[in-house]
Amino acid sequence: TLPARAHDAKGPNGGQLTDAGKYHVELVGKGTRLEVFISDANDKPLPATGFKALAILVIDGKPQRIPLQPEGADRLSGPLPGPLASPAKGVLQLTAPDGTVAQAKFN
């Protein structure tokens, strides 16, 4: 059982933090890049290797699909078509290295 977590809490990298299945994901908009940091149920950061994700976020009033791939050892990243609203609204589909899929909602 995972501990209860308030949706869209502030994460260690300054982004929105929420649950995605057995993982915690933090969504960070940095200019024209979207970054996602993944941690386990105990908030221990996990390497991004082997993970992939698809974010569907509302940007400028329209849903935008943003594919994310590992960038460096600690994050997934992809291009943003415009500035990310704060707080971001949308969903993130996370595929783990073992093929399991989890979803996170950002309100």
Side-chain angles (χ1 to χ4, degrees):
T1 304
L2 294 177
R5 174 179 301 280
H7 279 273
D8 302 326
K10 190 168 184 176
N13 298 290
Q16 289 171 258
L17 184 66
T18 195
D19 296 329
K22 66 180 182 178
Y23 302 103
H24 298 157
V25 292
E26 181 183 2
L27 194 70
V28 179
K30 288 191 174 180
T32 60
R33 301 294 296 169
L34 177 65
E35 296 180 339
V36 172
F37 297 86
I38 306 162
S39 57
D40 66 15
N42 296 316
D43 294 323
K44 179 184 174 199
L46 296 174
T49 307
F51 282 93
K52 62 182 178 177
L54 175 66
I56 302 171
L57 302 174
V58 177
I59 299 174
D60 291 333
K62 299 177 192 163
Q64 301 285 332
R65 297 171 66 88
I66 304 154
L68 302 162
Q69 299 293 329
E71 181 176 288
D74 65 343
R75 74 195 77 190
L76 300 171
S77 182
L80 279 172
L84 188 63
S86 183
K89 294 182 190 279
V91 296
L92 177 85
Q93 180 178 307
L94 180 69
T95 304
D98 66 2
T100 59
V101 178
Q103 190 175 64
K105 289 186 179 184
F106 293 92
N107 300 316

